[in-house]
Amino acid sequence: DKVLPELIEPYELRAAKLREFLEDVKPSLCYDIVPLADPFGPSITDPDLQCLVVSEETRRGGEAVNRKRLENGLPELTLHEIQLMKDPVRSQNEEEKISSSSLRQRLLGTLLQPPRQDPAQPLRPYVIGLTGGTGSGKTSIAKLLGQLGAFIIDADKLGHAVYVPGGPAYEPVVAAFGAEILNKDGTINRKVLGAKVFGNQERLKSLTDIVWPKIAQMAKERVREADAQGKGGSLSSAVKLS
């Protein structure tokens, strides 16, 4: 449930940076850095531990550690609470404290590693997929890429297009769910169709098995269209929204 978990550094690198910091602060101490496979780690099993450093927001976790230690027949740890440092350069959508989540958000839009050349992949068209929840900025990013020359493919619009009369999913959907899903003009009533499938996993799967491959095929056709229009240059040839 971490923010942007894809940008979290590997454990080995994080541990090395932590050790460098600790030894810089006080090189005379011996530091034992261990990975945590659960919320507690060695804090509830190590009889040699005496103190646990917590913050105001993690004190409850420290109290949970002490309860576990008592259950395991170990003495409670002294909980030493420290203040969180405020971030003086945070933006409006970032946490008030200095936070790794905020740091990862700031990495968005930066090149983290050089592009890898894959000889199996053609140089053009270059397809970028934009995904994310409602309000995550897909439309804004697509607009910016479009201004830079990208050919935009909106998967939401394709999702509507497959249902129209004559569309690739129209007849299979009507055959699967019956004529009662049709309006008087012959178009599919998506509300009626939705009432038939949502809450019914089997029917929902039947619908997606029909529709999603059709949307994917239409997207591929749009990519070929972009290539034919010469939109496969060095920037990007297509942006797929989903």
Side-chain angles (χ1 to χ4, degrees):
D1 59 349
K2 291 287 187 180
V3 174
L4 298 171
E6 301 85 356
L7 298 182
I8 295 177
E9 293 177 330
Y11 167 77
E12 291 75 16
L13 179 59
R14 299 171 70 196
K17 289 182 176 181
L18 174 60
R19 182 175 297 280
E20 180 182 10
F21 170 77
L22 294 172
E23 291 178 347
D24 185 54
V25 172
K26 194 159 188 178
S28 60
L29 292 181
C30 178
Y31 300 102
D32 186 15
I33 301 173
V34 298
L36 298 180
D38 59 68
F40 297 105
S43 64
I44 60 173
T45 58
D46 191 337
D48 295 327
L49 291 180
Q50 296 175 304
C51 176
L52 187 64
V53 179
V54 298
S55 66
E56 181 181 355
E57 65 180 19
T58 61
R59 171 169 279 278
R60 291 178 62 186
E63 294 168 350
V65 165
N66 275 336
R67 288 195 295 271
K68 285 287 187 180
R69 286 182 68 87
L70 291 176
E71 291 175 7
N72 293 338
L74 298 173
E76 290 184 317
L77 301 177
T78 299
L79 300 182
H80 178 73
E81 184 174 319
I82 59 173
Q83 298 295 312
L84 292 172
M85 294 186 65
K86 293 185 177 181
D87 190 340
V89 295
R90 71 184 183 93
S91 62
Q92 225 174 7
N93 65 328
E94 294 176 345
E95 296 184 79
E96 185 177 5
K97 64 177 182 178
I98 292 179
S99 164
S100 59
S101 298
S102 298
L103 296 178
R104 289 196 298 277
Q105 288 185 61
R106 295 170 196 171
L107 289 174
L108 289 174
T110 61
L111 186 64
L112 300 180
Q113 59 185 4
R116 296 189 301 270
Q117 294 292 334
D118 186 351
Q121 294 292 332
L123 294 178
R124 53 178 290 183
Y126 189 81
V127 181
I128 301 172
L130 292 179
T131 64
T134 301
S136 60
K138 299 187 300 293
T139 301
S140 297
I141 296 299
K143 183 178 180 181
L144 289 172
L145 289 172
Q147 291 171 352
L148 293 172
F151 182 95
I152 308 300
I153 301 171
D154 191 332
D156 289 335
K157 292 180 180 178
L158 297 184
H160 286 278
V162 295
Y163 286 103
V164 300
Y170 179 83
E171 291 187 5
V173 168
V174 174
F177 296 96
E180 61 267 26
I181 67 170
L182 297 178
N183 294 311
K184 291 182 179 181
D185 61 0
T187 57
I188 292 176
N189 188 318
R190 293 171 66 103
K191 288 186 178 180
V192 174
L193 177 60
K196 278 180 168 285
V197 299
F198 292 117
N200 187 314
Q201 291 298 318
E202 186 176 346
R203 287 184 178 179
L204 181 59
K205 184 179 185 304
S206 297
L207 179 62
T208 56
D209 286 347
I210 294 171
V211 173
W212 286 358
K214 304 297 185 185
I215 295 175
Q217 184 59 39
M218 291 179 73
K220 291 176 182 178
E221 292 172 358
R222 296 295 191 277
V223 171
R224 287 193 288 270
E225 180 184 341
D227 192 24
Q229 293 182 16
K231 293 282 187 176
S234 59
L235 168 66
S236 58
S237 64
V239 177
K240 179 181 176 185
L241 294 178
S242 59

